[in-house]
Amino acid sequence: MGFSGHLVFACSERPLLKAPLFDSIGPGLRDDVHEWQPRPGGWQTLQLEQGIWEDEHLSALVEWSGTPACVADVSDSSVALVTGLDTNGHRWQAWLNLDNAAGLLIEVPEDVDDVSLWIATPEFKEAIGHKRAELDAEVPTDAEGALVWASAAGVQIAAQQSRIEELLQVQQTFVEELFDALLDELGFPEAVHSAPQP
């Protein structure tokens, strides 16, 4: 069973959980929040179990931190929709693991009674192919949006747009790792993993 919930990425000198938007998280839900290894410069990632994050929280977080932020809406570790927002209100979105996203987004025809039977048909394969092609067509715009957002965050971007496009088309077992790789590729300082004590 994979992770379903949200990965929240933002910058602050204070812990992200101190943001007012998290005030409503009760003690019971605090156990469902995990902090990833921070990145230099105050960049932090929170992993929140399903049910804690609301869509309107992203603009509240950007306002509180005064920096661009993004959130990945993750389903079963297999697919994620990343939404980024900068301090000027410019927003971008990108799907991670496009094959899985295509499966999630295709519309089931009204005359299909049993979806489990439909997915074994040529029509299903064709529908997946069409949806994947639609998502592929959006990748250049998504990559451009991600680069503009990262630039607004003040990172030194070394990546070419083509490299971001490649990353957005990669299929990975755990979409959380793909999200982390995207942040690395966009030029955010990599998390410093402390060596275990002997």
Side-chain angles (χ1 to χ4, degrees), residues 183-197:
L183 295 175
D184 289 347
E185 198 64 49
L186 285 170
F188 290 94
E190 293 189 24
V192 180
H193 298 283
S194 51
Q197 296 300 314

Side-chain angles (χ1 to χ4, degrees), residues 18 26 34 41 45 55 58 79 83 100 107 126 146 149 155 160:
K18 299 285 187 198
H34 305 284
T45 305
D55 287 343
L58 185 57
V79 62
T83 304
N100 297 348
E107 292 179 23
E126 189 179 338
W149 171 81
V155 296
Q160 300 293 317

